[in-house]
Amino acid sequence: MTEQGDEPAPPRTLDYGERGTVRVYADAEALAHAAARTFIRAMGEAVADRGLGYVAFSGGSTPKRMAELLAEHPYRDHVPWAEIEFCWGDERWVPRSSPESNAGVAMRTLLDHVPVSPSRVDPFPSPDEIPDPALAASMYETNLKMIFGVTDGPPVFDLVLLGLGDDGHTASLFPGTAAVHETSAFVVSHYVDKLAADRLTLTPPVLNAGREVVFLVGGAGKAETLARVLEGPIDVDALPSQVIRPTSGNLSWLTDEAAAARLTGPKDA
Ligand code: 6PG
């Protein structure tokens, strides 16, 4: 174990060009350690360069182990917690106390246990506070503009963490939804038929403005979708994760061997 914690064995690396760089770790635990170290590095660099680090956390289950690791010694000792602005890439329209709440889970597994600046923890508004998801999305957009001090261009996160759904969605950009093609709003809400639920999400202009965009993808259940996203034809309506093409930032995929099992490697450019 290094001073910062278990350093995973060096990953296999696959360069998919504009579709990103894939780093393949042995298993879920190694993936979680790599994700925690990526978070520490990205936030450390941002704070050193600009005094603050801005992160958009993803939801879902994959980041949970990363969050648990960051809450513990030694990783927790290497994070500039008070200088990080914590936002979310998307949210379910549920009370923050719900086990479905992305922000609620992040708070309960990590943020409530480390010395963050409470004023720099910026969850989406929830049904506990706002009656209407569209209003909540509009309020979050206004809040982001204020946090980042932007008036027209998109907020620029230092680190955007994303997951990959087995249907190809990311954040709450789901197949067949207009949100995938949103080019002006930074935050939208929409009713997702397949979930029979409202979702709130950052839009491609914001996600693609990130200095570093990192997908965390683990498990055999993601193998087929990951191969389609990285090696198949571009079809963002079917595979919204393909809409993630950072304007100038880096795109990487941290995966485990199970999720990478169907990758045949980048085709010669
Ligand atoms: C959400 C997420 C979503 C998630 C993927 C992967 O709110 O559910 O933001 O995009 O990242 O569905 O989820 P898992 O990590 O649970 O597989």
Side-chain angles (χ1 to χ4, degrees):
M1 176 184 279
T2 66
E3 196 227 352
Q4 276 192 4
D6 284 342
E7 184 153 357
R12 290 192 295 123
T13 299
L14 301 168
D15 182 355
Y16 282 87
E18 283 188 344
R19 297 200 203 191
T21 301
V22 177
R23 294 183 175 82
V24 186
Y25 293 88
D27 54 29
E29 186 68 2
L31 171 57
H33 279 273
R37 296 171 69 84
T38 297
F39 176 84
I40 290 170
R41 175 188 52 72
M43 289 298 101
E45 288 171 356
V47 171
D49 293 350
R50 291 174 293 278
L52 279 175
Y54 296 82
V55 61
F57 260 42
S58 84
S61 58
T62 304
K64 193 163 183 297
R65 183 59 183 139
M66 175 196 75
E68 290 168 350
L69 290 171
L70 287 169
E72 298 164 358
H73 176 79
Y75 287 137
R76 66 177 286 138
D77 307 331
H78 294 276
V79 179
W81 295 107
E83 284 76 41
I84 299 174
E85 196 85 39
F86 292 91
C87 302
W88 276 264
D90 71 322
E91 189 55 278
R92 294 85 180 275
W93 189 237
V94 295
R96 203 150 304 136
S97 58
S98 164
E100 288 299 304
S101 167
N102 290 335
V105 167
M107 290 172 184
R108 291 186 284 273
T109 53
L110 174 58
L111 302 181
D112 290 349
H113 310 288
V114 291
V116 299
S117 295
S119 64
R120 292 194 171 130
V121 177
D122 308 294
F124 280 83
S126 74
D128 310 333
E129 304 155 322
I130 305 289
D132 174 82
L135 176 59
S138 170
M139 288 175 67
Y140 203 60
E141 174 155 336
T142 301
N143 190 26
L144 286 179
K145 287 177 176 176
M146 186 182 63
I147 289 167
F148 285 83
V150 294
T151 50
D152 47 12
V156 177
F157 284 94
D158 297 296
L159 178 62
V160 175
L161 291 171
L162 293 171
L164 173 69
D166 56 14
D167 63 354
H169 82 263
T170 192
S172 283
L173 305 175
F174 283 87
T177 62
V180 174
H181 299 283
E182 178 60 49
T183 55
S184 54
F186 298 153
V187 186
V188 296
S189 70
H190 57 161
Y191 182 82
V192 181
D193 291 334
K194 74 171 284 189
L195 303 175
D198 285 297
R199 286 290 188 99
L200 304 161
T201 188
L202 301 189
T203 59
V206 180
L207 299 173
N208 284 330
R211 290 190 172 88
E212 195 161 354
V213 182
V214 179
F215 278 89
L216 306 181
V217 186
K222 304 289 175 70
E224 183 185 347
T225 304
L226 183 62
R228 289 176 60 209
V229 168
L230 291 173
E231 300 182 354
I234 298 296
D235 181 352
V236 298
D237 287 300
L239 296 169
S241 296
Q242 291 182 330
V243 82
I244 304 301
R245 292 284 182 93
T247 316
S248 57
N250 297 317
L251 175 58
S252 58
W253 303 72
L254 305 188
T255 72
D256 58 19
E257 288 289 355
R262 302 282 290 273
L263 296 183
T264 58
K267 304 293 173 284
D268 294 339

